[in-house]
Amino acid sequence: MSKQDIKQDVLKGEELVKVAVAALEDVKAQDIQVLDVREKQSITDYMIIATGTSNRQIGAMLDKVRQMVKEKGVRPLGEEGKGESDWVLLDLDDVIVHMMTAAARQFYDLERLWKGAEQSRAPDGKHHSPENFHEYSAKLNKDQE
């Protein structure tokens, strides 16, 4: 087995989750939640959902996760929602990372969609609350006027 084969084995599943969560924590992502969806579908093993306070922070979250996984030899399969989007997705094959504003996270409620999947929160993650949603909802409504 070559060093490259070993490197790829090391960063599957839970190890890749740890790298992505560490990257999100580095850029102060909020309410980081890991969902184990292996028993629910076959597309991926884990989903990470994290909240950013602004589109700019979500961009920084995307950049940091991409950078840290690439440093470990993992090439992302794809990205969706870059730019001014309230929801950005990074596909790492075994792990899909969802980075969202609080308003988008509450609206799409992926945690409820995947209810029943094993869930865990990052140690310092704060839950997105209805109080936060009101603040972002008001901002979104103002921007649409």
Side-chain angles (χ1 to χ4, degrees), residues 26-70:
D26 279 355
V27 290
K28 309 292 188 235
Q30 298 176 353
D31 193 18
I32 302 167
Q33 187 167 7
V34 178
L35 307 174
D36 181 342
V37 295
R38 290 177 287 190
E39 300 297 321
K40 297 289 182 182
Q41 49 74 46
S42 61
I43 296 171
T44 192
D45 292 342
Y46 297 93
M47 290 191 191
I48 301 173
I49 305 169
T51 301
T53 58
S54 67
N55 294 13
R56 186 176 190 162
Q57 184 189 18
I58 291 171
M61 292 161 58
L62 172 66
D63 292 343
K64 187 67 173 183
V65 174
R66 186 187 322 111
Q67 172 199 345
M68 287 184 71
V69 299
K70 281 184 177 180

